[in-house]
Amino acid sequence: MNLVSTITGLPYVGKTTLFNLLTGGHAATGAFAGAEAETNVGVAKVPDARVDRLSALYAPKKTTYAEVTYRDLGLAHSAQQHQGGPSAQKLGDLRTSDAILHVVRAFRDASVPHVDATVDPVRDLASIELELLIADHAVVEKRLERIEPELRAAKGAEREARERERSVLRKAMTSLEAETPLRDLALDEEERRAVRGYRFLTLLPQLVVANVDEADVAGAEAVLAPLRAAAAAHRHESVVAVCAKLEAEIADLEPEEAGAFRRDLGVTEPALHRVIRATYDLLGLVSFFTVGSDEVRAWTIPAGTQAPAAAGAIHSDLERGFIRAEVIEWDRLLEAGSEANAKKRGVVRTEGRDYVVKDGDVLHVLFNV
Ligand SMILES: Nc1nc2c(ncn2[C@@H]2O[C@H](COP(=O)(O)OP(=O)(O)OP(=O)(O)O)[C@@H](O)[C@H]2O)c(=O)[nH]1
Ligand SMILES: [Mg+2]
C-alpha cells in the first residue's frame, strides 16, 4: 500500500525542516519560506533493521524497504488576518491523506517568529485542529441540507442508504459542534462506509510532532506532558518529540560522527525512525517480508490482514490464485541461516486462507492462476 502522510501545522514551526529530514529532500526552509509556497512531496524509506539483516543473509540484487509518501503543506489559521484561513485547495490536498503529521512548535528560539507571538504548543495544536473541525462542519452542513430532497425522492434500498447516511451525518454534526474530532466517534464499519466519500479531516489519525529545543531533546517529557494529555483525550492521536534543527545538523555529518554526536546527546536513534514508526503504530500497520536472491523486500499491510489479502499486496494474481503460504518469523529464518535449513528444522509453517499475517513474518506464497 502507498501510504500518504501530510505534514501540516502553523507557519514557521519546522515543517519543511522535518520534511527534508524524512525524505532526504532539499526544499527551502527558513521562516516565511513556505507560507505561500507549493506543497512539497517526497518519499521516505521506512528504516527497518530486519530488512537489513535479511538482506545481509541473501545478498540480493535489490533490497526494497517499505515507503511512506510525505507531503509538506502549511496551514494558516483563520484568525491570521492576512491569510484568511486555509485555502480550499490545501484542505482538498489534506483530504487525500491517510494520516496527518501535525508539527507544533515547542522550541523557544526567539530568532524565529511565531504567528501568535508566544510559544504554546497546546494552544497551537488546538488552533489547527479547530480549522479542521470547521472544514468538516461545512461539509456536513451542506450535505445535510441536500440530503433532505434526495430522501423524499428515494425508495427502497436507496432510501435506506440515504437514511443511514443522514443518521451518521447527524452524529458527526453533534460531535463537531462540541469541537470533538470525528475520529472520537466509535463508528461501525457500515457507518464508516456511509461517509467514506467525504474524506473528513478530523477522521484522520493524527501524529503530533513536538519540535523541541536542542536543550530539551534528552529530557523532553516536561514539554511533552501537556501535549500528551491533550492528545490522549482523542482516539488515534499520539505524540513524539524531535529537534528538527539538530537532526538536520546531524544528517549532514558522516555516519560515525553522527553516531558519536547522538550518544553525547543521549539520543539513541534518528528522529526519522521514531516518526515513521509512530506513523505505522498510529495507522495500525505491520510489515511482512519476501526474500530471495533477486530481492529482499518489506510489504505493508493493516494489522489483522489474512494471508490471501496480504499476498494481494504483492500482486493481485497472488490473491486471486492463493493456495497456501509458507511462513517463518524473520528472526527464526536468520537463526536457521537458510530456508532449506529452516525447513529441515521444521520451523517453516504451512498456513491457509484464514491465517492472519503477523508483523515480521517472512512469506512465500504458493498460487495458481
Ligand atoms: N531553534 C530551532 N529552530 C528551528 C527548529 N526547527 C526549525 N527551526 C527554524 O525555524 C525556521 C522555520 O523552519 P521551516 O522548516 O522552514 O518551517 P516551516 O514550518 O516549513 O515554515 P513555513 O513553511 O514558512 O510555514 C527556520 O529558520 C528553521 O531553521 C528547531 O528545532 N529549533
Ligand atoms: Mg515550509
Side-chain angles (χ1 to χ4, degrees):
M1 61 197 290
N2 179 21
L3 256 175
V4 179
S5 181
T6 301
I7 303 173
T8 193
L10 289 175
Y12 334 137
V13 294
K15 299 179 296 294
T16 305
T17 308
L18 183 68
F19 169 83
N20 286 341
L21 273 169
L22 290 167
T23 61
H26 299 280
T29 61
F32 313 112
E36 266 103 43
E38 302 258 301
T39 304
N40 298 311
V41 183
V43 173
K45 290 196 189 318
V46 177
D48 192 331
R50 298 168 300 182
V51 176
D52 298 334
R53 302 271 302 275
L54 290 169
S55 182
L57 178 63
Y58 282 86
K61 293 192 196 101
K62 197 172 162 202
T63 300
T64 310
Y65 296 84
E67 289 178 348
V68 180
T69 298
Y70 282 101
R71 294 191 301 206
D72 166 20
L73 180 153
L75 286 183
H77 64 70
S78 305
Q80 285 165 248
Q81 274 137 13
H82 62 290
Q83 298 272 4
S87 71
Q89 197 206 319
K90 287 193 168 183
L91 292 172
D93 280 355
L94 258 187
R95 284 187 205 291
T96 58
S97 315
D98 297 301
I100 290 180
L101 194 164
H102 186 163
V103 183
V104 291
R105 172 169 170 176
F107 64 88
R108 291 173 295 264
D109 187 349
S111 71
V112 180
H114 190 297
V115 284
D116 290 316
T118 54
V119 175
D120 183 344
V122 174
R123 175 201 62 200
D124 292 357
L125 177 62
S127 94
I128 290 285
E129 183 78 37
L130 184 61
E131 296 304 331
L132 306 183
L133 287 161
I134 291 170
D136 282 353
H137 186 271
V139 172
V140 172
E141 197 168 43
K142 204 192 272 165
R143 183 61 193 142
L144 274 175
E145 274 167 26
R146 292 194 179 160
I147 206 169
E148 292 304 332
E150 284 181 24
L151 253 167
R152 281 193 294 273
K155 291 188 192 61
E158 172 65 16
R159 187 180 173 93
E160 268 174 45
R162 291 289 149 268
E163 271 170 357
R164 183 158 49 238
E165 186 186 336
R166 182 176 62 180
S167 110
V168 184
L169 289 170
R170 283 181 175 161
K171 264 197 215 179
M173 191 56 133
T174 308
S175 167
L176 293 166
E177 280 173 350
E179 295 189 11
T180 305
L182 298 178
R183 56 184 180 280
D184 285 1
L185 283 180
L187 298 179
D188 63 32
E189 199 35 51
E190 206 169 69
E191 291 176 312
R192 263 172 200 282
R193 220 174 304 130
V195 295
R196 185 167 291 157
Y198 299 114
R199 314 217 51 135
F200 290 122
L201 297 172
T202 64
L203 208 49
L204 292 170
Q206 183 165 213
L207 179 66
V208 180
V209 175
N211 194 6
V212 301
D213 266 319
E214 284 96 324
D216 291 328
V217 278
E221 276 313 308
V223 180
L224 289 190
L227 266 179
R228 279 203 207 285
H234 303 296
R235 290 150 59 104
H236 308 296
E237 187 165 333
S238 63
V239 182
V240 291
V242 303
C243 175
K245 192 177 171 208
L246 184 69
E247 291 284 344
E249 282 163 19
I250 298 176
D252 285 337
L253 301 174
E254 296 299 320
E256 270 169 39
E257 267 183 297
F261 197 24
R262 264 186 225 294
R263 276 192 296 280
D264 286 348
L265 289 164
V267 201
T268 47
E269 58 173 351
L272 164 74
H273 294 206
R274 278 181 296 129
V275 169
I276 293 183
R277 216 175 37 234
T279 304
Y280 264 58
D281 288 348
L282 191 62
L283 290 169
L285 297 173
V286 300
S287 298
F288 74 90
F289 310 110
T290 51
V291 296
S293 55
D294 280 337
E295 189 179 28
V296 165
R297 178 160 183 168
W299 305 88
T300 304
I301 50 170
T305 301
Q306 290 180 322
I314 305 171
H315 195 285
S316 57
D317 281 354
L318 271 63
E319 180 166 8
R320 214 153 38 88
F322 182 88
I323 300 169
R324 61 183 183 273
E326 292 178 346
V327 183
I328 179 172
E329 290 92 350
W330 73 278
D331 46 350
R332 292 202 159 205
L333 174 56
L334 278 175
E335 269 166 37
S338 72
E339 277 154 296
N341 207 11
K343 278 186 183 163
K344 248 184 265 160
R345 292 186 187 182
V347 288
V348 178
R349 307 185 315 271
T350 298
E351 301 283 4
R353 310 187 67 87
D354 295 341
Y355 178 66
V356 173
V357 175
K358 308 280 181 306
D359 189 42
D361 279 351
V362 176
L363 247 62
H364 183 67
V365 178
L366 300 158
F367 70 109
N368 183 14
V369 282

